[in-house]
Amino acid sequence: DIVKNFVAGLVILIERPIQVGDSIEVGEVVGEVTEIRGRATVVRTNDDISLIVPNSKFISDTVVNRSFRQPRVRYRIPVTVASGNDPAHVEAALLEAASRSENVLTDPEPKVWFEGFGEAGLRFELLCWTSRLLHSAGAFRSEINRLVYSALTARGIALPTPQLDVRLPEGAPRASARP
């Protein structure tokens, strides 16, 4: 294993599939590459935990490198609104929310997809690019969700509310109110 990891380290240094500063995902490990050593690579997670990952994992497993060649990433923000809303108004509100964030890139510009109809309402997806929060997906999503909520409520766009229908069969005993 030591030889395998050392050879993999040489391959990483020569081919450069990952570099220090890259935002990566390999297996269950998600974070920023902070150091590439001969036998292993150090990855710092968003929880500020440093993980030592054997270099062979970067050669044998699929590696998602969010900052490979271009330091930007697109996030998909799912949004569901109540069924009675006008999809064009929802789309305008979502684009307005994206435009209010300094972390969202204007090139490529944000997009909205009307995904379809669900039990809870109309399903949309807001697609935004960022180059600032590559390593902070949670912070980016939280900011965008707050802006989306503000934009939707400002335009009077209703959010879905859970509804439970209870039907009793005819002739079933009903509970009586007690004083």
Side-chain angles (χ1 to χ4, degrees):
D1 280 350
I2 292 173
V3 172
K4 180 170 69 170
N5 286 318
F6 182 74
V7 170
L10 291 175
V11 171
I12 290 171
L13 292 173
I14 293 168
E15 290 187 2
R16 313 271 270 159
I18 60 169
Q19 296 180 26
V20 171
D22 283 353
S23 176
I24 60 101
E25 179 178 339
V26 59
E28 298 294 317
V29 176
V30 177
E32 177 185 1
V33 176
T34 58
E35 189 177 348
I36 300 173
R37 299 178 182 165
R39 188 189 67 78
T41 295
V42 180
V43 178
R44 187 177 65 235
T45 69
N46 289 338
D47 295 325
D48 202 23
I49 297 170
S50 292
L51 301 174
I52 312 300
V53 181
N55 284 334
S56 62
K57 294 286 262 179
F58 292 97
I59 303 303
S60 63
D61 292 2
T62 299
V63 177
V64 176
N65 187 338
R66 290 187 174 87
S67 45
F68 190 69
R69 293 205 171 97
Q70 288 188 351
R72 67 179 189 193
V73 64
R74 182 174 72 177
Y75 289 106
R76 298 167 179 264
I77 312 295
V79 178
T80 303
V81 298
S83 294
N85 291 294
D86 180 348
H89 291 350
V90 174
E91 182 175 334
L94 296 178
L95 291 173
E96 173 196 325
S99 72
R100 296 179 73 210
S101 170
E102 65 183 29
N103 294 310
V104 173
L105 296 175
T106 56
D107 183 29
E109 64 185 18
K111 293 189 182 322
V112 175
W113 297 112
F114 182 7
E115 293 288 310
F117 308 92
E119 286 183 31
L122 307 176
R123 293 181 294 115
F124 292 84
E125 190 170 59
L126 173 60
L127 298 96
C128 301
W129 291 89
T130 185
S131 60
R132 293 183 181 177
L133 295 175
L134 296 175
H135 309 297
S136 301
F140 183 77
R141 284 191 172 96
S142 180
E143 177 200 10
I144 298 301
N145 281 331
R146 280 193 302 274
L147 292 169
V148 164
Y149 180 79
S150 275
L152 293 176
T153 55
R155 291 174 179 247
I157 296 172
L159 298 172
T161 55
Q163 181 177 328
L164 176 65
D165 290 334
V166 178
R167 299 174 194 253
L168 297 173
E170 281 193 44
R174 298 181 186 256
S176 59
R178 295 185 181 203

